[in-house]
């Protein structure tokens, strides 16, 4: 109940909080995207560092 009264008395505060929350969510999405990209690059480099003899044999035959 006190929260509704507080927001009614200070509407700018709730706007500031809402804006801050949106910015925080945006930052977290951006950070997760960067982390996922880095993880994918790391995994791709690990996968590509292994030599698969069957791939070479397949290419030689075709």
């Amino acid at each position: 109940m006190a929260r509704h009264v507080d927001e009614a008395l200070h509407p700018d505060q709730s706007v500031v909080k809402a804006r801050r929350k949106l910015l925080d969510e945006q930052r977290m999405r951006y950070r997760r995207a960067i982390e996922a990209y880095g993880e994918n690059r790391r995994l791709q480099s690990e996968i590509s560092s292994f030599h698969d003899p069957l791939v070479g044999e397949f290419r030689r035959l075709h």
Side-chain angles (χ1 to χ4, degrees), residues 5-32:
V5 173
D6 187 40
E7 288 178 359
L9 293 175
H10 305 287
D12 292 340
Q13 289 294 333
S14 62
V15 171
V16 170
K17 286 181 182 180
R19 177 74 175 147
R20 187 176 298 142
K21 182 178 177 183
L22 287 173
L23 289 173
D24 286 344
E25 290 171 356
Q26 185 179 28
R27 266 192 234 99
M28 288 307 297
R29 282 193 304 271
Y30 186 71
R31 182 176 179 161
R32 283 191 296 268

Side-chain angles (χ1 to χ4, degrees), residues 38-52:
E39 181 69 10
N40 286 339
R41 283 189 56 141
R42 184 186 66 78
L43 291 173
Q44 189 64 36
S45 70
E46 285 182 16
I47 290 170
S48 66
S49 67
F50 291 110
H51 175 69
D52 188 356

